[in-house]
Amino acid sequence: MPRAPRAASAGRAPGARRGEPARERPPGPARVRLGFVLGHREEPVAADRAGHLLWSGIPAPETARLVGRRLVEDDFSSGWGIRTLAAGQAPYHPLSCHRGSVWPHGNAIAVLGMSGYGLHEEAAVVSAGLLAASAHFGHRLPELFSGHARQADGPAGPVPYPHANSPQAWAAAAQRRMRPSSAATATAAVRESTSSLA
């Protein structure tokens, strides 16, 4: 029978050997990266998993602010939600399952994390995009959809991912977390979208 892992001792980093000092975290924003194999080398990429870290409460508040702001920049935010990979990177493709699409449940996790750190404006931006996407899917969100950018002269809604389960349970549950944190920071799009869900 396998043994349960022991809790880390105070003052020691997880995985550190007995007697080793705690390791210091490097300064600056959290750099969450996933490695993709391109040819024969691994290529680091900026990924949406940083939003999951916000939900976990791991980053220091100043780091969380940098991460939250980063996730709503144009290369990460499609206007419909946060992409799994930021646009402009070698492996990025808006119709790839994990290389640029938008996963509603991952966005909900990021919104919860942003709200937990008081990043209400950033949470409202993500919520507004995802609720607008939800309206285009008849409020029956699919598992994922394309990361193509939302544009005034583009398609009326997000481009569906061809193999997504739709509707999908955890995506449907994500809509329940897409509420503005306060009336002062909610955008008109969030207010309009949430009124149709009530």
Side-chain angles (χ1 to χ4, degrees):
M1 176 177 236
R3 282 188 348 192
R6 289 188 299 178
S9 300
R12 246 185 23 228
R17 295 181 186 179
R18 194 173 299 224
E20 283 185 16
R23 288 178 244 155
E24 294 293 320
R25 286 185 178 173
R31 288 175 174 80
V32 178
R33 294 180 178 261
L34 300 176
F36 280 86
V37 176
L38 300 174
H40 293 289
R41 67 181 210 265
E42 190 175 294
E43 194 70 33
V45 293
D48 67 337
R49 302 313 190 258
H52 298 189
L53 283 177
L54 295 179
W55 173 81
S56 74
I58 292 171
E62 58 277 359
T63 301
R65 279 191 294 279
L66 294 171
V67 170
R69 290 179 187 139
R70 177 71 181 96
L71 289 173
V72 296
E73 290 180 10
D74 289 343
D75 60 342
F76 262 118
S77 178
S78 70
W80 302 111
I82 301 168
R83 297 175 175 110
T84 52
L85 290 186
Q89 301 176 94
Y92 171 77
H93 191 289
L95 267 174
S96 172
C97 187
H98 295 289
R99 294 186 295 131
S101 58
V102 174
W103 288 72
H105 77 281
N107 278 247
I109 292 169
V111 165
L112 289 171
M114 290 172 179
S115 297
Y117 279 99
L119 303 171
H120 302 299
E121 290 179 24
E122 291 82 356
V125 167
V126 178
S127 294
L130 200 61
L131 288 170
S134 177
H136 286 285
F137 288 111
H139 299 288
R140 294 167 54 93
L141 278 171
E143 178 180 21
L144 70 153
F145 52 86
S146 163
H148 286 99
R150 184 177 184 179
Q151 298 173 347
D153 60 348
V159 176
Y161 181 78
H163 305 292
N165 292 317
S166 185
Q168 209 271 346
W170 65 49
Q175 294 177 93
R176 303 212 25 95
R177 296 295 178 200
M178 298 292 119
R179 298 279 195 257
S181 299
S182 71
T185 59
T187 63
V190 172
R191 285 191 297 272
E192 181 179 314
S193 297
T194 56
S195 67
S196 66
L197 292 176

